[in-house]
């Protein structure tokens, strides 16, 4: 019997990480798969949907400027009811740890609909870091019927919390998307030329430092201290800093205020995923507080300095290719300079490690669903 699967997501990283699952299930006639986007993100989500050729079946269109966690959570809960009752899915797949993930899982629970949690089991065990993601994923785990863990460590976290059934190690679907896009770039000379033209302001004689940052726990002091570190680093004439700035006004405002006038720093609009992958491939090192980028960098051999106090992705740190450096100006500067000036350290951190998947995660998730639904 054909199984009805509803994918619910709302933000840029969820879309990047659910795109390959959607296409895998869509090509299998044992599934009737539909997509509901909450619209927690708007422009940044649309960029991904366009790239991966995804047209949502339902769009809750919920984003508000500078939205609060309370309003977003309650709006998702209220709006999802009609979607769930309309499609009556056999299972809903949610991803990771956003407000969309947590509130959608809760909505499914209220309607006694099964939930499959993709990217399950990540933990810092610090309630406020990342905030609110740590609690979002714990609530989702409580509700989920299937836990698709990217790594053995993630599965172990769930076992330690007493979860026993339907725990699967599948790798992370972000690697499926990354490898697909990377191949697209490598195999298409026209595309490569187009991208090189778009980024012709990048000086190939300088080391490219690619920066992103958006975490709520870094709002205020964290983000301004990151900016002051970048300002100082931009004085070195062997580097160039490229920073696609997240659209959250709590990020946009301080970043523009502090860095707008810096000659050697390029503040960009959030980049379409394909363009961002091109930037990652061409970077010397990546400075970020993003979860997904920590995973991607390991697969393309770029050192990542993680501007956070905690990470739920210990694998890259243990493998020696990522470093947790916090958000203090002095620590950021010292760690960047070490990678710029110490060749041995740089080469050690530039190894490619397949710790988050091999590009087959979506197929593995499909096969588990086929077996168990
Ligand atoms: C959200 C997730 C976070 C995830 C991140 C990925 C929550 C609580 N946070 O954080 O876990 O890592 O997405 O980027 O779920 N905005 C726009 N256009 C967009 C997107 C955002 O203008 O396309 C602005 C809006 O003013 C919006 C604000 O950014 O209100 C915040 O968006 P929100 O999704 O609440 O938080 P993020 O910081 O993006
Ligand atoms: N990304 C992108 N464009 C950008 C910055 C990031 O496509 O300008 C991609 C990045 O490659 C990764 C994902 O977005 O796959 C990470 O999203 P984000 O940092 O917003 O969220 P997080 O991973 O921290 O949840």
């Amino acid at each position: 019997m054909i199984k009805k699967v509803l994918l619910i997501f709302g933000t840029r990283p969820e879309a990047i990480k659910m795109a390959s699952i959607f296409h895998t299930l869509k090509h299998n006639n044992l599934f009737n798969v539909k997509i509901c986007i909450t619209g927690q993100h708007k422009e940044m989500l649309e960029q991904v949907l366009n790239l991966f050729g995804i047209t949502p079946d339902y769009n809750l269109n919920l984003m508000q400027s500078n939205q609060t966690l309370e309003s977003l959570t309650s709006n998702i809960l209220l709006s999802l009811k009609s979607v769930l009752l309309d499609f009556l899915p056999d299972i809903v797949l949610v991803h990771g740890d956003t407000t969309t993930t947590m509130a959608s899982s809760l909505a499914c629970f209220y309607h006694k609909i099964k939930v499959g949690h993709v990217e399950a089991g990540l933990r810092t065990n610090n309630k406020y870091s990342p905030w609110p993601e740590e609690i979002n994923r714990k609530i989702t785990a409580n509700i989920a019927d299937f836990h698709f863990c990217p790594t053995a460590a993630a599965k172990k976290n769930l076992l330690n919390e007493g979860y026993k059934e339907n725990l699967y190690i599948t790798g992370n679907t972000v690697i499926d998307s990354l490898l697909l896009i990377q191949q697209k770039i490598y195999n298409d000379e026209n595309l490569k030329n187009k991208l090189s033209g778009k980024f012709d302001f990048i000086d190939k004689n300088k080391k490219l430092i690619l920066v992103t940052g958006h975490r709520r726990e870094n709002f205020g002091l964290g983000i301004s201290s990151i900016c002051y570190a970048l300002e100082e680093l931009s004085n070195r004439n062997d580097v160039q800093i490229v920073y696609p700035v997240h659209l959250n006004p709590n990020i946009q405002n301080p970043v523009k205020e502090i860095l707008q006038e810096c000659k050697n720093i390029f503040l960009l609009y959030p980049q379409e995923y394909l363009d961002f992958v091109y930037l990652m491939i061409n970077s010397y090192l990546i400075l970020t507080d993003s979860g997904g980028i920590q995973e991607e960098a390991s697969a393309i051999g770029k050192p990542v300095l993680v501007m956070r106090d905690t990470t739920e992705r210990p694998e890259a740190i243990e493998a020696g290719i990522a470093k947790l450096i916090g958000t203090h100006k002095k620590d950021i500067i010292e760690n960047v300079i070490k990678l710029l000036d110490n060749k041995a350290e740089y080469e050690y951190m530039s190894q490619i490690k397949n710790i988050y998947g091999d590009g087959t995660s979506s197929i593995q998730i499909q096969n588990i669903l086929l077996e168990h639904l």
Side-chain angles (χ1 to χ4, degrees):
M1 212 173 80
I2 291 175
K3 293 294 172 190
K4 291 199 275 183
V5 183
L6 182 66
L7 273 54
I8 306 181
F9 51 85
T11 65
R12 167 173 70 191
E14 291 169 83
I16 291 170
K17 291 169 166 183
M18 290 291 247
S20 59
I21 299 185
F22 170 69
H23 285 299
T24 304
L25 299 184
K26 192 84 187 161
H27 283 102
N28 186 327
N29 55 18
L30 291 172
F31 294 107
N32 172 7
V33 54
K34 291 198 175 186
I35 286 188
C36 171
I37 57 166
T38 59
Q40 173 173 342
H41 282 178
K42 192 172 164 56
E43 302 87 341
M44 288 164 57
L45 181 64
E46 277 160 13
Q47 287 179 326
V48 186
L49 298 178
N50 291 341
L51 175 68
F52 286 98
I54 294 173
T55 309
D57 300 278
Y58 304 94
N59 183 353
L60 307 183
N61 209 7
L62 293 176
M63 196 192 85
Q64 292 168 355
S65 181
N66 209 4
Q67 60 208 0
T68 64
L69 297 175
E70 294 87 348
S71 67
L72 186 60
T73 304
S74 47
N75 288 338
I76 293 170
L77 267 176
L78 290 170
S79 310
L80 266 182
K81 180 176 176 181
S82 59
V83 174
L84 296 175
L85 292 179
D86 180 59
F87 186 47
L88 294 175
D90 295 297
I91 187 165
V92 164
L93 298 183
V94 295
H95 184 279
D97 53 22
T98 69
T99 295
T100 287
T101 315
M102 180 274 291
S104 305
S105 306
L106 194 54
C108 290
F109 169 66
Y110 289 158
H111 292 275
K112 300 194 176 155
I113 292 169
K114 282 198 172 76
V115 172
H117 187 198
V118 183
E119 199 182 85
L122 276 62
R123 295 289 185 270
T124 60
N125 292 313
N126 180 333
K127 185 169 160 179
Y128 292 112
S129 179
W131 176 77
E133 289 84 358
E134 179 72 3
I135 294 301
N136 282 347
R137 54 196 175 216
K138 284 192 164 168
I139 294 173
T140 305
N142 256 281
I143 294 168
D145 300 277
F146 295 90
H147 310 266
F148 303 112
C149 307
T151 63
K155 179 176 173 183
K156 193 156 172 263
N157 289 335
L158 291 176
L159 286 169
N160 288 343
E161 288 173 19
Y163 294 95
K164 289 192 180 66
E165 284 175 15
N166 295 331
L167 310 176
Y168 306 95
I169 301 172
T170 60
N172 197 309
T173 54
V174 77
I175 306 297
D176 301 20
S177 295
L178 174 70
L179 296 184
L180 182 84
I181 297 301
Q182 201 182 11
Q183 281 314 311
K184 206 169 163 163
I185 297 173
Y186 284 152
N187 295 336
D188 186 340
E189 279 307 314
N190 284 339
L191 179 60
K192 248 189 276 179
N193 291 337
K194 204 176 130 201
L195 289 163
S196 157
K198 176 175 174 187
F199 296 111
D200 62 0
F201 58 87
I202 292 175
D203 183 344
K204 295 200 167 61
N205 297 314
K206 292 185 176 183
K207 292 169 175 164
L208 173 64
I209 300 178
L210 182 61
V211 183
T212 78
H214 68 82
R215 301 238 79 87
R216 271 179 161 73
E217 65 275 14
N218 286 346
F219 288 176
L221 279 183
I223 190 70
S224 48
S225 130
I226 290 170
C227 290
Y228 289 122
L230 296 177
E231 187 183 35
E232 191 160 325
L233 286 165
S234 75
N235 292 324
R236 274 184 68 130
N237 54 18
D238 60 340
V239 304
Q240 201 169 21
I241 297 173
V242 172
Y243 182 172
V245 188
H246 192 290
L247 293 179
N248 193 324
N250 298 291
I251 301 294
Q252 284 273 326
N253 296 339
V255 169
K256 287 192 172 151
E257 200 178 303
I258 302 170
L259 298 178
Q260 187 97 288
E261 303 300 325
C262 288
K263 282 203 183 67
N264 205 15
I265 302 183
F266 295 86
L267 301 182
L268 308 184
Y269 190 80
Q271 294 296 293
E272 188 185 300
Y273 187 53
L274 190 134
D275 300 41
F276 191 76
V277 171
Y278 177 83
L279 285 173
M280 284 198 288
I281 295 169
N282 286 286
S283 68
Y284 179 83
L285 69 89
I286 303 175
L287 262 176
T288 189
D289 64 12
S290 157
I293 296 173
Q294 292 177 57
E295 295 150 353
E296 290 163 339
S298 67
I300 55 172
K302 297 294 171 180
V304 188
L305 297 175
V306 183
M307 299 184 290
R308 295 171 51 177
D309 297 326
T310 60
T311 180
E312 57 292 272
R313 291 160 171 93
E315 298 86 352
I317 312 260
E318 282 155 16
I321 54 175
K323 209 166 165 187
L324 201 59
I325 63 166
T327 54
H328 293 297
K329 180 179 163 189
K330 184 171 154 286
D331 297 331
I332 295 172
I333 294 173
E334 267 176 22
N335 279 287
V336 170
I337 288 179
K338 204 187 236 178
L339 281 178
L340 290 172
D341 295 344
N342 183 333
K343 205 162 174 260
E345 170 103 0
Y346 181 76
E347 275 169 13
Y348 189 75
M349 283 191 75
S350 301
Q351 300 172 72
I352 293 183
K353 302 249 176 171
N354 290 331
I355 40 186
Y356 292 109
D358 59 4
T360 63
S361 302
S362 300
I363 292 173
Q364 294 183 48
I365 290 170
Q366 169 198 246
N367 293 344
I368 294 161
L369 292 176
L370 279 175
E371 196 179 331
H372 293 277
L373 275 186

